[in-house]
Amino acid sequence: MKQNEAAAALSVWVALESPTSHAAGLNGMMDLVQKDVEGLPIAVERIPGRDGLGDMVLLRAGLDNGQPAVAVMSHLDTVHPVGTSAKELPVRIEGDRLYGPGVYDMKGGAWLALQAFKQVAVAGAAKRPTVFLFTPDEEIGSPTSRAIIEEIGKGSAAVLVTEPAREGGKIVTARKGVGRFEVKLEGRPAHAGSRHADGRSAIREAAHQILAIEGMTDYARGITTSVAPMGGGTAANVIPQHAWFSVDCRVTTLADGEAMEKRILALKAHDPDVAVRITGGMNRPPYEKSPMVAELFEMARKVAAGVGFDLQDCPMTGGGSDGNFTAALGVPTLDGLGIDGDGAHTLQEYALISSIAPRQALIKGLLETI
Ligand SMILES: [Zn+2]
């Protein structure tokens, strides 16, 4: 496929808006995937969505020789609300850049990996079964797809994740673990003027808790905590009865994840008259660059050299992905194999059209070599 044809085909995917909460958009994306493989030697399984989220599509191809598979994983949800492409981020080409909601994270990677998957399926070039899972909910922590991601991971010799490339084409071989917590506080309301002493401010208590939680950040150990969003109170002249906030926590090791979860869940109220309820925990375990991951990376370097470029990996990144789930199970996982570009989760999001062909060739080579 010529470069401009590839950009046009990818633009169709980007123009169909599919934020995680918009099941109809996600189902439309799954339809596009199915349409793209029609008539090819690829088995299609559609898995209905649940909890109001979109469907999943699972493709299978290649030999059925009892060997563990090589699996590709892509999410088709984006963080951009419906209407973004009509206003702040129109789908458009400017030079080598294709702009649009989710083009970099990660419709570009999903699209080019599917083209590679099709090429390998048609040529019968893989040494083992190949599977490709498209999911609808990565951007909210994969609540409905995690179980199938882990199930496919367990049956695979390697997992290839098509999250965006970093810093000029680098791939990802390690990611921090991610925790999410919700904190709800309930104090005692009172008139802020006439009955101030009777009130027990949920917001004042929240302030103490927020400083304690943010104080757990330890850059030397790669541990960060941050609070957002937050809210509380009803009016300026009322001592607030309620307050709430969310916590994001990142760690580099499983042990740190367990320790941080314990510390955050064990926080006690500073003011005994305010109830503090904390829920949540570690959502994505850390993805560490094990010897098996390093070995798979060396294989990818050789494939890339054959394609004609020097493949690098980047140091442990702070962002989590579905690669964390499979890597934590001990399955060799490579991530960041998707399209190059910049501006993930922003209104300047774009992908580099010139990166489609080499990245597609890299994934094709991996599907044939692993
Ligand atoms: Zn992503």
Side-chain angles (χ1 to χ4, degrees):
M1 199 183 288
K2 289 203 193 80
Q3 192 164 287
N4 56 350
E5 288 169 356
L10 172 54
S11 297
V12 174
W13 279 33
V14 179
L16 181 56
E17 295 184 298
S18 55
T20 320
S21 59
H22 185 49
L26 265 312
N27 292 344
M29 287 302 304
M30 299 299 165
D31 292 343
L32 287 177
V33 170
Q34 286 186 235
K35 220 174 126 205
D36 206 14
V37 301
E38 250 168 29
L40 301 180
I42 294 173
V44 180
E45 186 184 343
R46 180 101 169 201
I47 302 155
R50 58 180 169 86
D51 305 338
L53 298 175
D55 295 349
M56 282 180 258
V57 163
L58 179 59
L59 307 178
R60 293 178 190 279
L63 299 172
D64 190 7
N65 59 3
Q67 291 287 315
V70 49
V72 188
M73 296 191 182
S74 299
H75 69 82
L76 292 176
D77 57 323
T78 78
V79 298
H80 300 283
V82 171
T84 304
S85 64
K87 286 178 290 192
E88 304 99 323
L89 182 51
V91 181
R92 66 193 190 277
I93 292 172
E94 290 177 12
D96 190 32
R97 294 181 175 188
L98 172 56
Y99 285 86
V103 65
Y104 175 57
D105 182 11
M106 61 145 84
K107 288 187 181 179
W111 184 86
L112 67 86
L114 180 59
Q115 307 316 307
F117 187 86
K118 282 160 50 184
Q119 287 177 299
V120 174
V122 169
K127 294 179 193 159
R128 47 174 85 247
T130 57
V131 300
F132 199 143
L133 178 69
F134 291 89
T135 60
D137 58 355
E138 192 275 343
E139 296 291 0
I140 59 167
S142 310
T144 67
S145 58
R146 178 175 182 166
I148 187 161
I149 287 165
E150 291 181 333
E151 188 191 318
I152 291 171
K154 281 181 202 156
S156 298
V159 172
L160 310 176
V161 183
T162 67
E163 291 286 356
R166 305 299 166 100
E167 304 159 25
K170 289 182 185 166
I171 68 165
V172 174
T173 51
R175 288 181 181 275
K176 286 189 179 182
V178 187
R180 284 287 150 76
F181 302 85
E182 301 298 325
V183 183
K184 291 192 164 68
L185 306 101
E186 182 169 7
R188 192 192 301 155
H191 191 291
S194 58
R195 313 281 292 190
H196 191 280
D198 294 344
R200 297 291 183 271
S201 169
I203 288 181
R204 187 177 56 194
E205 179 64 30
H208 284 294
Q209 298 294 335
I210 288 169
L211 289 176
I213 290 169
E214 295 237 349
M216 294 175 189
T217 290
D218 182 345
Y219 293 124
R221 288 176 62 192
I223 298 171
T224 59
T225 51
S226 53
V227 169
M230 64 165 296
T234 51
N237 60 356
V238 182
I239 304 290
Q241 183 179 6
H242 296 285
W244 58 269
F245 60 88
S246 302
V247 180
D248 177 287
C249 171
R250 311 264 163 166
V251 297
T252 58
T253 68
L254 217 49
D256 281 347
E258 282 163 14
M260 288 300 290
E261 186 175 300
K262 275 205 189 101
R263 278 181 78 187
I264 291 172
L265 292 176
L267 283 165
K268 293 279 173 289
H270 195 262
D271 177 343
D273 291 337
V274 179
V276 178
R277 268 181 285 281
I278 307 174
T279 55
M282 293 308 293
N283 170 257
R284 288 197 168 97
Y287 162 9
E288 299 173 60
K289 189 174 177 181
S290 67
M292 277 156 81
V293 171
E295 203 179 303
L296 186 59
F297 173 62
E298 285 311 314
M299 181 190 283
R301 275 184 63 93
K302 287 200 189 91
V303 171
V307 173
F309 67 99
D310 179 30
L311 187 68
Q312 303 282 333
D313 63 346
C314 49
M316 182 174 253
T317 128
S321 92
D322 289 335
N324 290 58
F325 295 138
T326 57
L329 292 171
V331 185
T333 300
L334 291 183
D335 199 346
L337 287 165
I339 204 160
D340 201 0
D342 205 355
H345 297 199
T346 76
L347 296 173
Q348 287 78 44
E349 180 171 359
Y350 69 86
L352 293 173
I353 296 166
S354 58
S355 73
I356 293 175
R359 309 296 284 191
Q360 184 176 324
L362 171 62
I363 291 176
K364 176 173 174 283
L366 283 167
L367 288 169
E368 292 170 347
T369 312
I370 291 168

